[in-house]
Amino acid sequence: MQTGVGMIWLVVLLVLQSGLCSFGGAGTNASTRPEFVNIGGVFSINTLIGKVARVAILAAIEDVNSDPSVLGGTKLKLAIQDTNYSGFLGIVEALQFMESDAVAIIGPQTSVTAHVISHVASELQVPLLSFSATDPTLSALQFPYFIRTAQNDLFQMAAVAAIVDFYGWREVTAIYVDDDHGRNGIAALADKLAARRCKISYKAPMGLEATRDDMTDVLVKVALMESRIIVLHTYSTPGPLVLEVAKYLGMMGNGYVWITTNWLSTILETSSPLPLDVMERYQGVLSLRPYTPETGLKRKFVSRWSNLTSTFSTNGTFGLSTYGLYAYDTVWILARAINAFFDQGGVISFSNDSKLTSLRGGNLHLDAMSIFNGGKLLRDSILQVDTTGVTGPIRFTPDKNLIHPAYEIINVVGSGYRKIGYWSNYSGLTVVPPERLYSRPPNHSSSSQQLYPVIWPGETTQKPRGWVFPDNGMHLKIGVPKRVSYREFVSQAEGTSDMFTGYCIDVFTAALNLLPYAVPYKFIPFGDGHNNPSDTELVRLLTTGVSTFDAAVGDIAITTNRTRMADFTQPYIESGLVVVAPVRKLDSNEWAFFRPFTWKLWCVTAIFFFIVGAVVWILEHRLNDDFRGPLRRQVVTMLWFSFSTWFFAHKENTVSMLGRLVLIIWLFVVLIINSSYTASLTSNLTVQHLSSSIKGIETLVSSNDPIGYQQGSFARSYLIEELGIHESRLVPLIMPEDYAKALKDGPHKGGVAAVIDERAYLELFLSVHCEFSIVGPEFTKNGWGFAFPRDSPLAVDMSTAILKLSENGDLQRMHDKWLMSSACTSLGTKLALDRLHLKSFWGLFVLCGSACFLALFIYFLIMARQFSQHYSEEPSSSSSSSRSNRLRTFLSFIDEKEETVKSRSKRRQMERASNRSTDDDGSLNDSKRRHIEYSSNDNFTSGSQV
């Protein structure tokens, strides 16, 4: 930084010559609003951007000065300095403006010049308004007086990254001019790509003055790279030559994708129509163009453009580019800001820079450089402008960028170009103009991103794959584990250093042969040949800074930890962790019929026979004569009925609705249990079975016995980290013979209780060791795949090839060739891992028990109601009646046959009715007798009186 500042002041010293006027420290203002305000313009008039900008700026100056309401009668006075394609002259001419009383400078045109001049502008507080210096780093706090009136390249690179991600590409090659504009733009692109898990795989810088030969050298290197997605970030002068050389080298055909920044759209806008031979270079290229909404102001300005070029241009007529629109609006932004500056009491005055005063004297007159006293107020006024111009709404964000950054995406086709969509910072990729979406909530979801179809280089509409295997003469370095056991999967050929055989190698080469392109490769052994190497370490070597390997092929299990380091193909074999333990044959004996059920299931089944029999007896006792009689007969009947349901041989009929409900459910349970028992017993008696004290991984976790595992396998870390098994219990084993010896010795003789390894290995082991077997289920779900560096497109193509091998049967044929098991697999043995457990039938027993409980509950409710009705008919007992008497009465009531209770109740009703009839007759006789007596008394009284 100090060197840069020193260079700046050196330029100042060279520029300032004797005889320059010194302003002194006094202000130079005659009034608050002077007649003229001096502004400067610095750009290359004869460049593609400069000639358009000159016409637009002069037109804007004329429009502002012709409208007294803009500046209240003050006019803008513009002085333009032509940098003539030279960055050095641009710096010199900008510094010359610092000697005058210019309050602001429109320009510079290039980012390189802007970086240098911004240091001086910050010191002298003169705002720089650039419509074309789009370097993202110019927005830094380091340059407070640099104001960009065009879109920041940061957003253009975000649009490029969105296009790359939209089409599913992951790597790009960047070609750029090696200056501030190019380097910083590509750095921004790298950041935006990284946010989408993409990257720049190769950077190809070029000099600003690069010749055709220089460009050829650069493009040849690019052609040798893997990526076919090329981003070209340069200027309008070298850019067409790059594409011309690329076409000459055959890099504009099928498979290539070219994305250019807005320099190409500037050429197409300004110089159209271009000759057909020139347009031929651009066929299929995607380019970006800053988007400006279609407004009345823009249409009016576009309609004036032909007349404006005739009036202000000395280069003939040419088209209007977006830079011309930004240049026109830049003048209006400055005019609005100057008006606000005067409205706030701003005064145009200059003062000496104390840092330069000490340099007074000599021939250079450095003290001629003066500080604009109102520079900070004018800068703030510029950043607070809120207006509408030909480019649409104009307002600055807090980081000094224009609002609503957006770009059009164009596709060069034929003699012109077609618009395939838009990108905006608000909603990403769309096919509708961005301003229509500003009223809706922002939506960056992948489903909402859209573009119209593209015609790619080579005149194809099929999306290019985006990469090829690099044609640079280098071989793919493939790491292969140098195994010492289970060599059927992968083994190094004797006497060679780079030849391998085995199942995994056959699958890899067969998949490679299905790829639509050639992949030169070289196998490199990994391991010392004495111990099985760690596959995790092999995968890790794909991620190191200078990759030892470009891929890893072998018996590599796809685990969570490894997927964080590399990308894996589709699994070509399933191989989870299983347990192998010693087993013994189960011979049939006189008690074999008890083997199908566990003792718990036998006990619960027997209990339910008693429960169901008792419940049915209770429900049927009052109604069914089959369930009545002496106590001994009832007990025998209940037991007989219950156990005969096992064979569906019960002869007693059920007459109650509740009893039938319970019986139906119980018969369903018996049917299931009986069928399961028959099937299991048949299997036990007809198939040779094996038994082991180890039932699965749960048995090993709960015990303290030693466990064997394959050395170098991920099983060790899984058992320790996931299952919490102490490291001291784990015993590393290498060869299959080690497995067999450790299992035969057992935990009490220095061996192991079981071995945990991947199923693919253990199936080979068991094919020749019949005294062992897999016990319990597979407790992890893994597969084997080939590993590639992260985001490698080769992993995707290899996955597709593996799926093809699986579909056409080649994968199975290779499996049978190398891994076809023998010996033990034909014996028809079966491991008796589990008998039928209570948990398998628990639901049935719960269902049956619930039905019994519900039936009894309803039955006793009915009995209580009937008893209450019957008991209320009895004469009220004496107060000495106890609850025990009432309970005995209730039990006797339940024990009675229902017909007896009903007949007794009916008889009592008849007796009660008869008693009421007798009482009524007695009452009538008494009434008659009293009437007769009364009549007699009356007669007797009358006679006495007579």
Side-chain angles (χ1 to χ4, degrees):
M1 181 60 67
Q2 292 178 352
T3 302
V5 175
M7 292 179 62
I8 295 168
W9 291 114
L10 178 61
V11 172
V12 174
L13 291 173
L14 293 173
V15 172
L16 297 179
Q17 300 179 2
S18 59
L20 295 180
C21 298
S22 175
F23 289 92
T28 61
N29 303 352
S31 63
T32 304
R33 283 188 181 261
E35 182 180 359
F36 295 100
V37 174
N38 294 321
I39 60 175
V42 180
F43 44 87
S44 297
I45 294 176
N46 294 319
T47 62
L48 205 61
I49 295 175
K51 65 182 182 181
V52 174
R54 180 178 180 275
V55 174
I57 290 173
L58 292 176
I61 293 291
E62 183 180 82
D63 293 344
V64 169
N65 290 339
S66 63
D67 187 355
S69 64
V70 178
L71 288 172
T74 299
K75 296 183 182 299
L76 297 178
K77 188 175 182 181
L78 174 68
I80 297 178
Q81 296 286 354
D82 183 8
T83 61
N84 197 24
Y85 299 95
S86 172
F88 176 76
L89 287 180
I91 296 171
V92 170
E93 290 166 355
L95 290 174
Q96 287 180 344
F97 279 120
M98 304 300 178
E99 304 169 9
S100 66
D101 55 353
V103 299
I105 296 175
I106 298 177
Q109 182 175 321
T110 65
S111 298
V112 175
T113 306
H115 271 280
V116 177
I117 298 303
S118 294
H119 289 285
V120 181
S122 299
E123 178 67 24
L124 302 181
Q125 300 181 14
V126 177
L128 299 177
L129 290 85
S130 179
F131 54 85
S132 58
T134 54
D135 178 359
T137 62
L138 287 170
S139 297
L141 298 176
Q142 182 184 6
F143 308 116
Y145 283 86
F146 176 85
I147 300 171
R148 183 187 293 106
T149 56
Q151 292 296 351
N152 191 333
D153 264 352
L154 182 70
F155 302 111
Q156 182 168 210
M157 297 308 170
V160 173
I163 295 172
V164 172
D165 184 48
F166 176 77
Y167 288 109
W169 301 315
R170 285 292 169 261
E171 296 184 6
V172 304
T173 295
I175 303 176
Y176 59 96
V177 173
D178 193 13
D179 62 4
D180 290 334
H181 172 72
R183 285 191 302 271
N184 295 331
I186 294 303
L189 175 61
D191 292 340
K192 294 300 181 180
L193 288 172
R196 297 175 179 269
R197 284 201 62 189
C198 305
K199 68 178 182 179
I200 300 176
S201 59
Y202 181 69
K203 295 181 180 180
M206 299 185 307
L208 185 60
E209 304 295 334
T211 64
R212 185 183 184 92
D213 290 340
D214 296 334
M215 294 179 181
T216 301
D217 293 340
V218 169
L219 290 176
V220 167
K221 293 179 181 178
V222 170
L224 296 177
M225 295 299 111
E226 180 179 291
S227 175
R228 286 294 182 260
I229 313 302
I230 303 173
V231 177
L232 183 55
H233 181 49
T234 179
Y235 299 107
S236 56
T237 301
L241 184 56
V242 172
L243 294 180
E244 181 182 346
V245 176
K247 183 172 180 59
Y248 173 77
L249 295 175
M251 298 175 64
M252 298 295 294
N254 284 332
Y256 281 91
V257 175
W258 286 83
I259 304 174
T260 74
T261 48
N262 61 325
W263 62 265
L264 179 56
S265 63
T266 301
I267 294 176
L268 297 175
E269 288 177 317
T270 307
S271 304
S272 290
L274 292 170
L276 290 179
D277 61 327
V278 175
M279 289 299 296
E280 192 67 24
R281 309 170 189 169
Y282 308 147
Q283 294 303 301
V285 175
L286 297 182
S287 184
L288 297 176
R289 177 171 63 185
Y291 174 72
T292 56
E294 294 295 327
T295 62
L297 287 175
K298 179 181 176 180
R299 285 190 291 269
K300 181 179 178 181
F301 184 69
V302 171
S303 66
R304 295 171 54 199
W305 184 251
S306 179
N307 293 331
L308 291 175
T309 54
S310 300
T311 303
F312 297 112
S313 173
T314 59
N315 298 318
T317 59
F318 41 82
L320 172 63
S321 67
T322 310
Y323 284 116
L325 300 177
Y326 283 127
Y328 182 84
D329 276 349
T330 299
V331 175
W332 278 95
I333 292 172
L334 182 57
R336 301 291 186 192
I338 291 174
N339 185 60
F341 171 81
F342 288 137
D343 288 344
Q344 297 176 68
V347 175
I348 296 178
S349 64
F350 296 86
S351 60
N352 290 337
D353 189 342
S354 59
K355 299 178 181 178
L356 299 176
T357 303
S358 60
L359 301 176
R360 179 176 299 176
N363 297 323
L364 297 180
H365 293 281
L366 297 178
D367 55 329
M369 307 285 286
S370 301
I371 296 175
F372 176 31
N373 296 325
K376 184 177 184 301
L377 179 60
L378 179 59
R379 181 201 63 184
D380 294 342
S381 299
I382 293 172
L383 295 176
Q384 293 171 7
V385 166
D386 188 354
T387 186
T388 300
V390 294
T391 59
I394 300 174
R395 194 164 63 250
F396 290 94
T397 63
D399 53 1
K400 299 194 299 181
N401 289 317
L402 290 175
I403 61 170
H404 301 324
Y407 287 85
E408 292 176 287
I409 305 170
I410 62 175
N411 179 206
V412 181
V413 180
S415 59
Y417 57 87
R418 51 192 287 270
K419 190 185 305 178
I420 64 168
Y422 305 87
W423 176 90
S424 71
N425 196 43
Y426 187 79
S427 56
L429 298 173
T430 64
V431 293
V432 298
E435 66 269 16
R436 297 185 188 177
L437 304 175
Y438 293 146
S439 59
R440 308 176 191 173
N443 186 0
H444 286 272
S445 64
S446 57
S447 60
S448 68
Q449 306 299 289
Q450 300 179 61
L451 288 177
Y452 288 121
V454 176
I455 298 178
W456 303 101
E459 299 182 358
T460 177
T461 57
Q462 183 178 1
K463 185 196 79 172
R465 185 173 64 244
W467 74 281
V468 296
F469 194 81
D471 187 16
N472 53 13
M474 299 179 62
H475 288 71
L476 196 71
K477 296 178 294 184
I478 300 177
V480 183
K482 193 175 181 181
R483 294 193 58 86
V484 296
S485 62
Y486 298 109
R487 295 168 62 86
E488 293 88 346
F489 294 104
V490 57
S491 64
Q492 186 174 11
E494 294 295 334
T496 65
S497 61
D498 59 354
M499 293 185 63
F500 287 81
T501 60
Y503 170 70
C504 301
I505 302 300
D506 279 5
V507 173
F508 175 75
T509 55
L512 214 58
N513 291 333
L514 292 178
L515 298 183
Y517 46 87
V519 180
Y521 63 91
K522 179 181 180 181
F523 289 135
I524 301 175
F526 174 72
D528 58 11
H530 302 291
N531 297 290
N532 289 327
S534 169
D535 289 339
T536 301
E537 180 62 20
L538 174 58
V539 173
R540 190 189 66 79
L541 291 177
L542 301 177
T543 65
T544 54
V546 180
S547 298
T548 305
F549 301 117
D550 300 316
V553 171
D555 49 345
I556 304 173
I558 304 173
T559 65
T560 302
N561 184 42
R562 293 171 184 173
T563 56
R564 297 191 183 105
M565 298 185 287
D567 284 348
F568 284 83
T569 62
Q570 172 81 13
Y572 57 88
I573 187 173
E574 299 297 328
S575 184
L577 292 179
V578 292
V579 179
V580 163
V583 293
R584 58 182 178 84
K585 295 180 181 179
L586 289 178
D587 297 325
S588 180
N589 55 39
E590 63 274 14
W591 302 107
F593 62 88
F594 279 116
R595 190 179 297 164
F597 288 175
T598 62
W599 67 270
K600 288 184 179 180
L601 182 56
W602 278 118
C603 292
V604 171
T605 303
I607 291 173
F608 264 83
F609 273 113
F610 286 105
I611 291 175
V612 171
V615 170
V616 172
W617 178 83
I618 292 173
L619 298 176
E620 295 291 323
H621 181 65
R622 300 186 74 237
L623 303 174
N624 195 336
D625 290 336
D626 290 340
F627 292 88
R628 298 188 65 81
L631 178 61
R632 180 178 178 182
R633 178 188 172 189
Q634 293 184 46
V635 172
V636 171
T637 300
M638 180 180 66
L639 295 177
W640 165 255
F641 174 82
S642 177
F643 285 98
S644 63
T645 56
W646 177 270
F647 310 100
F648 301 95
H650 52 287
K651 63 180 181 178
E652 294 80 8
N653 293 323
T654 53
V655 297
S656 69
M657 185 65 67
L658 293 176
R660 290 176 177 177
L661 174 64
V662 172
L663 183 60
I664 289 174
I665 295 176
W666 173 243
L667 291 177
F668 173 73
V669 174
V670 168
L671 175 64
I672 300 299
I673 296 177
N674 197 4
S675 301
S676 301
Y677 175 84
T678 302
S680 181
L681 182 61
T682 302
S683 175
N684 287 336
L685 296 178
T686 58
V687 179
Q688 184 178 0
H689 279 254
L690 305 174
S691 177
S692 173
S693 59
I694 306 296
K695 302 303 181 183
I697 187 64
E698 295 82 4
T699 306
L700 295 175
V701 171
S702 60
S703 70
N704 292 316
D705 294 332
I707 303 170
Y709 70 94
Q710 183 182 171
Q711 184 187 53
S713 170
F714 76 96
R716 181 180 186 277
S717 60
Y718 181 86
L719 295 174
I720 296 174
E721 298 171 6
E722 301 296 332
L723 300 183
I725 296 176
H726 197 273
E727 184 177 0
S728 61
R729 294 179 55 195
L730 302 180
V731 179
L733 304 171
I734 299 178
M735 304 299 293
E737 293 75 13
D738 299 336
Y739 286 28
K741 183 178 184 303
L743 289 170
K744 288 178 181 178
D745 291 344
H748 303 296
K749 296 182 180 180
V752 297
V755 170
I756 294 179
D757 205 348
E758 296 178 70
R759 178 179 288 276
Y761 298 125
L762 293 180
E763 286 179 348
L764 272 179
F765 171 75
L766 295 175
S767 66
V768 293
H769 293 86
C770 305
E771 65 272 29
F772 311 111
S773 179
I774 295 175
V775 295
E778 188 176 283
F779 58 93
T780 66
K781 296 295 182 181
N782 300 101
W784 291 356
F786 306 129
F788 293 89
R790 295 300 296 270
D791 300 321
S792 171
L794 193 58
V796 178
D797 289 353
M798 286 293 287
S799 293
T800 304
I802 290 172
L803 289 175
K804 290 180 181 178
L805 291 175
S806 177
E807 292 171 357
N808 61 25
D810 288 345
L811 198 61
Q812 184 62 44
R813 282 188 285 272
M814 285 183 281
H815 180 278
D816 295 343
K817 170 187 173 182
W818 290 98
L819 310 177
M820 176 63 76
S821 56
S822 58
C824 300
T825 56
S826 61
L827 295 180
T829 59
K830 180 181 179 182
L831 182 65
L833 292 177
D834 290 309
R835 300 155 79 186
L836 295 177
H837 289 268
L838 175 61
K839 63 182 180 181
S840 302
F841 303 94
W842 185 248
L844 291 174
F845 288 121
V846 170
L847 176 64
C848 183
S850 300
C852 292
F853 175 79
L854 181 62
L856 288 177
F857 180 75
I858 295 174
Y859 175 77
F860 281 110
L861 284 179
I862 295 173
M863 290 298 99
R865 180 174 176 272
Q866 292 180 359
F867 177 74
S868 176
Q869 292 176 350
H870 176 77
Y871 190 77
S872 62
E873 296 171 358
E874 297 286 343
S876 57
S877 59
S878 62
S879 58
S880 61
S881 298
S882 63
R883 291 184 178 180
S884 60
N885 292 334
R886 186 178 180 85
L887 178 59
R888 284 195 297 270
T889 304
F890 179 70
L891 294 177
S892 299
F893 175 77
I894 292 177
D895 186 59
E896 285 184 302
K897 192 173 183 180
E898 187 172 8
E899 294 178 358
T900 303
V901 174
K902 288 182 178 179
S903 62
R904 185 171 64 248
S905 178
K906 184 176 182 180
R907 184 173 62 253
R908 288 179 178 178
Q909 289 177 357
M910 293 177 61
E911 291 176 355
R912 191 177 298 110
S914 175
N915 292 337
R916 281 199 299 269
S917 176
T918 303
D919 293 341
D920 290 343
D921 291 342
S923 298
L924 180 62
N925 292 333
D926 290 343
S927 176
K928 289 181 177 180
R929 187 171 55 253
R930 284 194 297 270
H931 179 71
I932 293 171
E933 291 177 354
Y934 180 76
S935 299
S936 300
N937 291 335
D938 286 345
N939 293 331
F940 176 76
T941 303
S942 299
S944 298
Q945 292 177 350
V946 172

